[in-house]
Amino acid sequence: MSPLDLLDVDSSLSAEERQIRAVVRQLVDDQVRPYVAGWYEEGRVPARELAREFGKLGLLGMHLTGYGCAGSSAVAYGLACLELEAGDSGIRSLVSVQGALAMYAIWRYGSAEQKQRWLPTMAAGEAIGCFALTEPDHGSDPASMATRARRDGDDWVLHGTKMWITNATIADVAVIWARTDEGIRGFVVPTRTSGVTVREIRRKMSLRASVTGEISLDDVRLPASARLPEAVGLKAPLGCLTEARHGIVWGALGAARDCLETALEYAGNRTQFGRPLAGFQLTQAKLADMAVEWSKGYLLALQLGRLADADRLRPDQVSVGKLNNVREALAIARQCRTILGANGVSGAYPVLRHANNLESVLTYEGTSEIHQLVIGQRLTGVSAFA
Ligand SMILES: Cc1cc2nc3c(=O)[nH]c(=O)nc-3n(C[C@H](O)[C@H](O)[C@H](O)COP(=O)(O)OP(=O)(O)OC[C@H]3O[C@@H](n4cnc5c(N)ncnc54)[C@H](O)[C@@H]3O)c2cc1C
């Protein structure tokens, strides 16, 4: 049992869930942990190679059924996200965007032909997907998006720009959301289509082991069959975000766990004033508070996962998890950083990398403020933002 699991939450996991967790933890130990500090420093990540490895293990779209997907439980998927993000938030993002955003959009809203064409290769990690909702001038308020899709005969013609898109420059296929005369619709766009230009966003100070890009759509002509037939209105992309946010609720705990384990070990080994840092009451107070928050977050994630497995998870409940667990994970990462002193800012330790990554996780998939507003609306019945 992990010393961090103060409440023995692990005992509520099934044998299969623990088994999946162990397999992903091993994968991260072997294929991510030894290299990720270097990827982060260089701002590059071998995403395609990793995707193939993840595909072999069934991690891509693992909670979806059919088309080569593993069909695992929401809790097992969450545990996988936790382990991946204990490696790095960017690595979990690769898996989340592929499975919970791009694949889920096609799986949930796509035609039989779209599913057959894309899902098996995406599950295998042979094809990479991205999910393009955000625009340069429209982030938290996607309802006001400027990207247009207009009919031209049987075809659709897309025009606009999408910004901050994870996996964009390595993607074979983009799920693009655009405004039509009938409202917001989704399109499955092979990235080699004429008129699609992708540019990498460099100089990120966060999520550096993750590919992020801008997608320009210059009168991109698509056949009628490119539209996701079941995606009607903004609730379609928001449904995908609910899926992905559930993974983040768990994932953030992974980053926090890695920071806490690092700080615990460091505090046990580092001596000042003739005793280990772990022997100072102020250090213990920090560690205790962080472990309590971590345990609460774990309970919260498990409750949401069980609700998802019972098909009863509401978007505002996911907002509770995303708001709390990312906010607390970031607070834990920053506090752990203090325990490591100067070494806390060194790339030789993972703590500041996790903290920097969590700044992005705090913002994407709905900022903390937006999740507060979602919860506020649930409580009061009044929407403060729509
Ligand atoms: C590394 C990274 C990867 C990303 N990957 C993707 C991706 O794959 N696909 C995708 O579509 N997007 C992606 N995003 C974009 C992300 O989802 C947006 O950045 C996010 O939705 C916030 O939008 P914004 O940055 O435009 O901020 P804004 O919406 O401009 O918000 C700025 C600030 O104002 C606050 N604010 C806005 N509206 C309100 C309000 N009504 N009340 C109170 N406060 C408010 C926000 O909470 C925030 O603090 C990614 C972002 C990052 C950083």
Side-chain angles (χ1 to χ4, degrees):
M1 191 176 107
S2 161
L4 293 177
D5 185 15
L6 295 171
L7 307 175
D8 196 15
V9 180
D10 276 357
S11 63
S12 335
L13 302 179
S14 70
E16 191 190 346
E17 286 161 351
R18 285 178 217 216
Q19 171 64 18
I20 290 173
R21 178 175 66 175
V23 168
V24 182
R25 190 176 294 186
Q26 192 62 52
L27 173 87
V28 171
D29 281 350
D30 293 343
Q31 306 211 22
V32 176
R33 222 173 262 286
Y35 314 107
V36 68
W39 298 335
Y40 188 92
E41 226 169 287
E42 290 164 19
R44 305 204 176 277
V45 59
R48 280 200 160 273
E49 290 79 351
L50 286 171
R52 283 197 194 95
E53 292 302 321
F54 296 162
K56 279 184 207 153
L57 269 189
L59 292 180
L60 303 175
M62 74 182 270
H63 62 306
L64 306 180
T65 50
Y67 307 98
C69 301
S72 64
S73 70
V75 169
Y77 169 66
L79 289 164
C81 289
L82 190 157
E83 294 304 328
L84 290 164
E85 197 149 350
D88 191 271
S89 303
I91 306 303
R92 197 268 308 140
S93 298
L94 169 67
V95 171
S96 288
V97 169
Q98 176 84 348
L101 289 178
M103 288 176 71
Y104 179 80
I106 296 170
W107 181 86
R108 172 69 182 78
Y109 305 115
S111 65
E113 184 198 342
Q114 288 164 341
K115 293 178 195 182
Q116 209 52 59
R117 164 71 186 87
W118 290 108
L119 293 179
T121 46
M122 291 172 86
E126 296 297 333
I128 305 276
C130 67
F131 179 93
L133 181 64
T134 304
E135 302 184 353
D137 296 327
H138 307 278
S140 300
D141 180 19
S144 62
M145 69 175 65
T147 297
R148 297 269 160 186
R150 66 176 167 81
R151 282 264 193 205
D152 186 24
D154 281 347
D155 292 347
W156 287 97
V157 179
L158 267 62
H159 197 89
T161 305
K162 296 292 178 177
M163 191 71 178
W164 292 108
I165 307 305
T166 302
N167 293 352
T169 56
I170 55 163
D172 302 284
V173 61
V175 171
I176 307 243
W177 301 95
R179 176 183 305 289
T180 71
D181 286 345
E182 292 97 48
I184 289 169
R185 297 290 185 271
F187 297 85
V188 179
V189 184
T191 50
R192 285 194 185 156
T193 310
S194 171
V196 176
T197 313
V198 185
R199 189 179 63 82
E200 185 165 359
I201 298 174
R202 307 285 304 169
R203 304 185 68 192
K204 279 180 298 168
M205 308 302 282
S206 168
L207 229 64
R208 291 178 55 75
S210 171
V211 177
T212 317
E214 179 191 64
I215 303 179
S216 300
L217 305 154
D218 186 11
D219 286 339
V220 175
R221 183 170 289 274
L222 300 166
S225 60
R227 188 170 81 74
L228 289 167
E230 306 298 327
V232 177
L234 190 62
K235 68 179 191 304
L238 295 186
C240 302
L241 291 174
T242 298
E243 286 292 305
R245 287 166 180 165
H246 175 242
I248 293 174
V249 171
W250 290 85
L253 290 172
R257 187 191 71 197
D258 201 46
C259 292
L260 263 166
E261 286 177 351
T262 305
L264 266 173
E265 190 185 342
Y266 191 90
N269 293 333
R270 169 86 172 169
T271 299
Q272 290 292 291
F273 300 98
R275 69 164 81 169
L277 300 180
F280 296 120
Q281 290 179 357
L282 289 175
T283 309
Q284 290 195 7
K286 288 179 184 178
L287 292 169
D289 284 351
M290 289 191 287
V292 167
E293 281 309 325
W294 192 86
S295 297
K296 283 155 65 180
Y298 192 17
L299 272 175
L300 170 49
L302 189 61
Q303 168 67 0
L304 297 188
R306 297 283 184 235
L307 285 172
D309 279 328
D311 219 6
R312 289 198 289 126
L313 184 61
R314 295 193 313 260
D316 60 281
Q317 294 170 324
V318 179
S319 286
V320 173
K322 206 263 180 184
L323 173 66
N324 183 78
N325 283 14
V326 180
R327 192 165 60 184
E328 295 307 325
L330 182 55
I332 287 171
R334 288 175 177 156
Q335 187 71 289
C336 287
R337 217 284 309 148
T338 68
I339 293 178
L340 270 72
N343 279 324
V345 305
S346 164
Y349 294 87
V351 177
L352 194 59
R353 173 168 53 80
H354 284 307
N356 284 351
N357 282 338
L358 287 165
E359 294 287 350
S360 286
V361 181
L362 194 74
T363 287
Y364 70 26
E365 309 262 353
T367 64
S368 293
E369 292 80 3
I370 293 301
H371 289 296
Q372 286 173 319
L373 295 178
V374 171
I375 297 163
Q377 182 178 10
R378 173 80 195 176
L379 292 171
T380 63
V382 182
S383 166
F385 60 105

